[in-house]
Amino acid sequence: MRILHTSDWHIGRTFHGSSTMDALAEVLSALTAQVRESAVDVVIIAGDVFDSATPAGPAYTLLSDTLLALAESGAKVIVTSGNHDSAARLGFQARLLRDGIHVLTDPLAIGTPVTVADADGPVHFFGIPYLEPAIVRQHFPSAGADGAELRTQAQTMAHAMDLVRAGMSAHEGRSVAIAHCFAAGVDATIGLEREVRQGGLDMVPLEVFDGPDYVALGHIHGRQQLSDRVRYAGAPLHYSFGEQDKPRGSWLIDLDAAGLASVEWLALPVPRRLVTLTGTLEEILSAENIEAHAEHWVCAVYTDALPQTEPMRRLRESYAYCAMVQHQPTATEAPSTRTYSDRLRTALTDTERIEAFLEHVRAGQGASEGERELIREVLDDRVRSEALV
């Protein structure tokens, strides 16, 4: 059996204020073509189909069109909900969907598989929707170790996988588990969710996933291989500059009669590349850079000693897709340990006081030679005015 593992579509997400809908539609069309070309039997979407619990109308349209196209390719489709999805909204029409499209959002059905057969017998797919302990513990009273209440996602996922293993015992054949969580062993530099960065990391130990022939995970936006049989596919589109160098695609899994036979990475196209340009504003706006990156999403990190006037406006005149500007001046010398108050107390002249003020408000950068000349002219004019009075 041939399986395609994808996740984290985040339909409806914006990128620095710009819609990603057209770009995602292009990528999902390419994914559907790969499903046809590779004769995929089952497509797994491991959570975070939508970016919001209340998606707008066009998000539903894109999902419906894509699911229909996947089904028409001949593949079965199995979808689970993630932390961004509303399980109720994603799953409300599950019973109305055409044969071959399964949306699994019910925590009470974790141990009941979707079964797809091939020449080697049945393969049982166990879908685990995103499990927020405070919400789902009511469904699993006293289910933790020693009858303890489920309080963490690690505990909740451990119980869910116990239900999966019980389902495996009741259904002979090969098995695949689908989950949306943060598993121990993930490289934390690769595409973490916004909520994961902001909150604590409630990690699920890798051994929790023992049992199935393959475990398809979602929640991390970069591909990850935690073991031969436990993997993240990542998001099909770049959703932050931190992901810009990470490949986009999905895992193509082959199961034979004995279980996992092979795993291959299928790359997806990148509609518009993301690049970070670092240097002085003049260097970033060089003809060479503009020629190379005029059509890319740009994060400009300019290193001029002083903030520049209207940097975003100037950048967008050359980079229509400049999305971010950051000022990170290059340190030219060790910062002074003297406080602003210390400098004022030891300043003997108005020129020294102005110099102290400029260093204080400009991260240690004092007046330039041109500014010093202007300061001298202003102070001399003031002295002449006072003399006339």
Side-chain angles (χ1 to χ4, degrees):
M1 181 172 292
R2 179 157 283 184
I3 302 166
L4 188 86
H5 167 199
T6 179
S7 72
D8 295 273
W9 290 2
H10 287 279
I11 302 175
R13 175 171 285 194
T14 59
F15 181 76
H16 296 276
S18 298
S19 171
T20 62
M21 199 73 74
D22 290 344
L24 184 58
E26 177 184 339
V27 171
L28 293 181
S29 176
L31 183 146
T32 303
Q34 290 176 341
V35 168
R36 288 194 300 267
E37 293 162 4
S38 300
V40 170
D41 299 300
V42 178
V43 176
I44 291 171
I45 309 171
D48 277 358
V49 177
F50 293 125
D51 189 57
S52 166
T54 56
Y60 283 104
T61 301
L62 177 56
L63 176 61
S64 299
D65 290 348
T66 304
L67 291 181
L68 180 61
L70 289 171
E72 289 178 344
S73 75
K76 308 291 185 184
V77 183
I78 301 175
V79 184
T80 60
S81 52
N83 57 303
H84 278 251
D85 301 307
S86 162
R89 283 186 171 84
L90 185 62
F92 85 98
Q93 58 183 352
R95 295 183 180 180
L96 305 178
L97 292 172
R98 60 182 291 166
D99 291 342
I101 301 176
H102 305 272
V103 180
L104 309 180
T105 62
D106 184 0
L108 295 178
I110 289 172
T112 303
V114 171
T115 300
V116 181
D118 65 2
D120 295 316
V123 177
H124 306 294
F125 294 84
F126 295 88
I128 304 174
Y130 179 76
L131 301 175
E132 183 63 45
I135 296 174
V136 303
R137 71 167 65 107
Q138 61 179 317
H139 300 303
F140 309 128
S142 301
D146 301 322
E149 187 180 55
L150 303 178
R151 293 194 171 275
T152 68
Q153 194 176 55
Q155 292 172 329
T156 308
M157 279 299 303
H159 176 63
M161 283 303 300
D162 285 342
L163 296 175
V164 169
R165 284 183 283 269
M168 291 169 56
S169 297
H171 300 83
E172 293 185 1
R174 296 155 293 169
S175 59
V176 174
I178 310 161
H180 195 88
C181 65
F182 186 79
V186 163
D187 180 353
T189 66
I190 299 181
L192 292 187
E193 283 274 14
R194 291 171 296 189
E195 289 79 3
V196 171
R197 289 189 183 278
Q198 293 167 357
L201 301 182
D202 187 2
M203 295 185 294
V204 180
L206 189 58
E207 58 268 22
V208 163
F209 302 106
D210 289 348
D213 294 288
Y214 184 79
V215 179
L217 296 179
H219 199 38
I220 303 301
H221 285 190
R223 72 176 183 186
Q224 298 256 341
Q225 178 181 339
L226 304 186
S227 74
D228 287 343
R229 40 175 290 283
V230 182
R231 298 171 187 248
Y232 287 96
L237 198 65
H238 290 119
Y239 286 119
S240 73
F241 282 101
E243 304 170 18
Q244 66 187 43
D245 296 323
K246 311 305 179 186
R248 303 288 89 168
S250 49
W251 293 113
L252 185 65
I253 303 104
D254 279 316
L255 300 182
D256 60 16
L260 184 63
S262 66
V263 182
E264 177 188 352
W265 178 253
L266 292 185
L268 285 168
V270 177
R272 192 178 303 282
R273 279 189 56 206
L274 279 66
V275 296
T276 299
L277 303 179
T278 303
T280 65
L281 194 58
E282 182 179 350
E283 290 169 345
I284 292 174
L285 288 169
S286 68
E288 181 181 2
N289 269 330
I290 294 170
E291 182 180 359
H293 304 295
E295 296 302 315
H296 298 159
W297 286 114
V298 170
C299 171
V301 181
Y302 73 95
T303 59
D304 300 70
L306 301 177
Q308 300 297 296
T309 303
E310 298 185 305
M312 179 61 87
R313 180 190 60 76
R314 294 167 62 186
L315 285 160
R316 283 190 171 169
E317 289 175 352
S318 300
Y319 301 102
Y321 302 99
C322 184
M324 288 182 66
V325 179
Q326 299 176 356
H327 180 217
Q328 295 181 7
T330 303
T332 56
E333 58 185 35
S336 172
T337 57
R338 298 176 63 205
T339 67
Y340 180 45
S341 297
D342 290 338
R343 293 173 184 170
L344 286 181
R345 276 195 296 268
T346 58
L348 299 178
T349 65
D350 287 342
T351 300
E352 291 177 349
R353 294 185 186 97
I354 294 172
E355 181 77 14
F357 173 76
L358 291 175
E359 290 179 0
H360 175 63
V361 299
R362 301 201 304 199
Q365 180 71 30
S368 65
E369 187 55 44
E371 288 170 335
R372 290 191 183 97
E373 180 63 29
L374 180 61
I375 291 168
R376 284 193 292 269
E377 290 179 5
V378 170
L379 293 178
D380 288 347
D381 285 345
R382 190 193 70 177
V383 171
R384 284 192 292 270
S385 297
E386 290 176 347
L388 291 174
V389 173

